[in-house]
Amino acid sequence: SLFQALHQLYYDPNIENKNLAQKWLMQAQVSPQAWHFSWLLLNMDKVPEIQYFGASALHIKISRYWNDIPADQYESLKSQLFTHITRFASGSKIVLTRLCVALASLALSMMPEAWPCAVADMVRMFQAEDSNVDGRARCLALLELLTVLPEEFQTSRLPQYRKGQVRSVLAQECGSVFPLLEQLLQQQDSPGFIKQKVLKCFSSWVQLEIPLMDCENLIQAAFTSLQDPELFDTAVEAVVNAISQPDAQRYVNTLLKLIPPVLGLQEQLRQAVQSGDMETSHGICRIAVALGENHSRALLDQVEHWQSFLALVNMIMFCTGIPGHYPVNETTSSLTLTFWYTLQDDILSFEPDKQAVYQQVYRPVYFQLVDVLLHKAQFPSDEEYGFWSSDEKEQFRIYRVDISDTLMYVYEMLGAELLSSLYDKLGRLLTNTEQPSTWQHTEALLYGFQSIAETIDVNYSDVVPGLIGLIPRISISNVQLADTVMFTIGALSEWLADHPVMINNVLPLVLQALGNPELSISSVSTLKKICRECKYDLPPYAANIVAVSQEVLMKQIHKTSQCMWLMQALGFLLSALQVEEILKNLHSLITPYIQQLEKLADETPNPSNKLAIIHILGLLSNLFTTLDISHHDDDHESTEVKKLPVQQGPNPVVVVLQQVFQLIQKVLSKWLNDAQVVESVCAIFEKSVKTLLDDFAPMVPQLCEMLGQMYSTIPQASAIDLTRQLVHIFAHEPAHFPPIKALFLLVTSVTLTLFQQGPRDHPDIVDSFMQLLAQALKRKPDLFLCSNLDVKAVFQCGVLSLKFPEAPTVKASCGFFTELLPRCGEIAPVGQVVHENGKVLLQAVLEGVGGQASRSLMDHFAEILFALNKHCFSYLSVWIKEVMQQDGFPSARISPEQKETFSQQILRERVNKRRVKEMVKEFTLLCRGLHGTEYTADY
């Protein structure tokens, strides 16, 4: 049956049979019989797949079940493995590798006591003459064994103390390995495939933190191998791995010795670049960056060697500026960017005197870096760019973002002088009439400016006024340049707020760009930034901005999300006007939409008019999100002075909402069945309530009435969320609260009815309802004193919700109970219900912990246990005893002792919530049979 299962696994086309076979074979591999059948499967007359399974089974037994092997069998196991490895040296490669991994695992478990010189023994065994196997095959088998040994160590399951012990033994044993590797690399007659294997073996060993000086000869030999195209890739890996190991920085003299051979690769690098050999230039760059990035601090410390390190830095600069466009003609420059961060951090971390010396040497280098990066950020010619695939364009976009981040970082080193130099270059470029510049050059310089201005406060820079003066002189011939001009203006919006006289220089450009669909994202986001930052200086331009915006909205130039941003921009803009001005603008802005909506409201519902309705409702929500005349959002002091006089009379948003209220009700009545339309209607009010806060009060009675009718007809989650918002904001306003209280009670009773009919199809409603109850308990707990609120039914719904499969719903229910339990004392009906029904709640929580609920929810369940213990201690100690007495509860894997321990731990901890969370995590793993397994490592 074993052969049958293997045959099914490899050759049966039926996937179910394959899966069954695989399951059965995995069990066979760990069975006691595996020792016996593994050797049989390795017979030379079997096919490689079957031999491979035998070798794998041996490896599994040795690596995972080491303790099952009697010590007196170690030696015979070892010699059998050696024999088989020799036998397979000229046989199947995959079987040879598995056998080598098995022997490596054996060696790691035996060394150092049971097998003192394991590595030296391996080398000796394979060098002994064996007439049956030819020398090269033996040599390859030995190299395979030596290569997998460190790899097996990295993934082995040795306990921590053994790991340290074995690592140091292996590091000493490299004395048996490295001379052999050197000899094989230097022999003239060694074939390429042997040298390749030698370099791989060296790569594997350097990861054991072997002192860099012991690796010196092999690193130099690897440098020589870089001249051989066949060995190039493997040699690069070997050198990079050796240089990059964290321990290497202790061997500064060896690192210094490595600089000349790295610099010696420059000629090979130049030739590769000239002949367009991207693989070679990429590999050499990796080596230079590995040395520079990992060891810049150690090498900078050697002040007397500053020139050789500077030469390495210049070599990396050449790699950053490698000719050609990323990612089409080169993929190397992106590897170097982090080096420049590291070097800068290291220079700026020295004490002042040393830093001053290095600043003198490296400031010019960093100015050169800025030029190189801006050159690399340039777009290719329009013709060339037209041939790029969308994937290449996206990679180039990300590359430019990385360059932008680097420039922003370099600003810390170069400061204001960087902005001045960019400004001078741009000025020369735009005013030079003899040599007209390419748009790509202009765009890149502006992009550099924008990169810095976006995150660094440029308010103190003396070049920004000049830059704002230059921007209108740029002849904009294409989309990329226009986009960058827009984003640059957007990045300077805070500066414009402090220098309002300059707004008129750039605003016309932005308004003009709004009419171009290709500049949709950049122009709309820039207008939004200007309207947000400069709103108190925009009233003179308001009429013009509104007119242009209205025109582009009516022409439907922009996609939905940009239309929404544009409405937010107009909301900011209108907020700073006088009320009658706001109303006048709102009227002209909204009227066309209202007329459209009136027409749509008369039509029979269908998919296309649904989209149109949602679009119009979305425009209104976004406008009301930012239209805020009470200036709740003005948190910076500079605007205090400009504060407008406090407005009298109703808020303009409320005026508009009251005008369109009946129309919205009409739309709703036709679309009550449609969750998205209902959500869009609720969003208008939700955004308005959030922005207006108590100014929204006049709308409360009619909104509550409408929500009640809506929810009674067809319950939707968005209506509950809006009710929660109203409870939150008006909880402490006795004058406005009665209609909200009535709505809360209505929503509760409708939802309780829904629970009786079966709530499983509405996890979203249950989720929102639980959040509403929690909010009510937090802001207005006396709602639970109402005679017509059935606290017991609400409690039972909460317990049901704890058993939902949807994690967000369960989390919301836990939130409800964590708010409810602390109220046991102050609200009699709550106390009574909890004392009478708390055991059911405890049962549900423990079922979840026992394995019914997702492990991600355990912290939330722990909060309920903590609250029960804190607020109902005398009850909990009785309940937990009763509940835990059920057989197999909360999991069949738990013993009565473990239950008792857990119960005692929970009852003892009434102060430290974190401790309770840890106990619950521990207990749930026991319940799920996962305790102490690898699944728990990331938990």
Side-chain angles (χ1 to χ4, degrees), residues 15 245 331 404 567 582 708:
I15 193 78
Q245 49 159 329
T331 53
S404 168
M567 278 302 203
I582 298 179

Side-chain angles (χ1 to χ4, degrees), residues 39 73-85 87 99:
W39 302 112
Q73 285 181 24
Y74 292 170
E75 285 307 317
S76 70
L77 189 53
K78 184 163 80 180
S79 66
Q80 273 179 294
L81 280 168
F82 269 124
T83 311
H84 277 81
I85 289 173
R87 197 175 294 162
L99 286 167

Side-chain angles (χ1 to χ4, degrees), residues 217-237:
N217 295 348
L218 278 168
I219 295 176
Q220 295 293 357
F223 270 110
T224 314
S225 307
L226 290 167
Q227 302 308 318
D228 179 343
E230 192 191 348
L231 301 176
F232 181 82
D233 291 345
T234 326
V236 169
E237 286 303 327

Side-chain angles (χ1 to χ4, degrees), residues 320-466:
T320 305
I322 209 158
H325 285 289
Y326 182 94
V328 178
N329 325 97
E330 64 90 7
T331 53
T332 298
S333 55
S334 61
L335 300 178
T336 63
L337 297 178
T338 26
F339 164 73
W340 298 108
Y341 285 75
T342 310
L343 178 61
Q344 176 177 315
D345 284 346
D346 289 336
I347 290 171
L348 297 180
S349 69
F350 283 122
E351 77 275 347
D353 297 350
K354 199 167 184 179
Q355 191 178 316
V357 173
Y358 274 131
Q359 283 263 15
Q360 246 179 332
V361 176
Y362 282 100
R363 269 179 80 84
V365 174
Y366 272 87
F367 273 112
Q368 186 195 345
L369 174 67
V370 171
D371 290 345
V372 167
L373 289 176
L374 291 177
H375 182 71
K376 292 297 291 181
Q378 283 188 26
F379 279 89
S381 70
D382 294 332
E383 188 186 5
E384 205 182 323
Y385 193 62
F387 286 117
W388 285 19
S389 69
S390 58
D391 189 37
E392 286 166 339
K393 288 178 177 171
E394 176 58 10
Q395 281 183 297
F396 181 58
R397 185 192 67 76
I398 294 169
Y399 174 69
R400 281 175 41 108
V401 172
D402 293 340
I403 286 181
S404 168
D405 293 344
T406 312
L407 289 170
M408 185 186 81
Y409 205 76
V410 167
Y411 180 84
E412 194 188 344
M413 177 102 155
L414 301 179
E417 206 182 322
L418 171 53
L419 291 177
S420 310
S421 97
L422 289 175
Y423 171 64
D424 292 341
K425 289 196 175 92
L426 194 61
R428 281 201 298 278
L429 208 60
L430 294 175
T431 50
N432 183 347
T433 40
E434 278 86 77
Q435 274 182 308
S437 62
T438 62
W439 71 262
Q440 285 91 340
H441 202 157
T442 310
E443 190 278 335
L445 284 167
L446 264 184
Y447 183 67
F449 226 106
Q450 172 213 323
S451 302
I452 294 160
E454 242 171 358
T455 40
I456 285 162
D457 182 1
V458 290
N459 272 359
Y460 308 102
S461 164
D462 47 2
V463 300
V464 178

Side-chain angles (χ1 to χ4, degrees), residues 852-886:
Q852 295 300 312
S854 153
R855 264 171 44 199
S856 62
L857 293 163
M858 290 308 117
D859 280 358
H860 304 288
F861 281 124
E863 301 239 1
I864 299 183
L865 288 173
F866 184 73
L868 276 170
N869 198 28
K870 201 166 173 180
H871 303 285
C872 327
F873 177 71
S874 54
Y875 289 89
L876 179 65
S877 45
V878 177
W879 293 333
I880 201 163
K881 203 170 185 161
E882 291 174 2
V883 172
M884 287 293 202
Q885 271 169 356
Q886 306 167 76

Side-chain angles (χ1 to χ4, degrees), residues 517 520-521 524 552-553 556-566 615 619:
S520 182
I521 292 180
V524 174
V552 299
L553 284 167
Q556 298 186 333
I557 284 176
H558 300 288
K559 290 206 175 101
T560 303
S561 49
Q562 277 67 53
C563 294
M564 303 304 157
W565 290 0
L566 190 50
H615 183 74
L619 292 174

Side-chain angles (χ1 to χ4, degrees), residues 60-72:
I60 287 177
K61 294 300 275 183
I62 294 170
S63 60
R64 298 194 197 167
Y65 299 94
W66 178 247
N67 295 331
D68 299 352
I69 306 174
D72 57 3

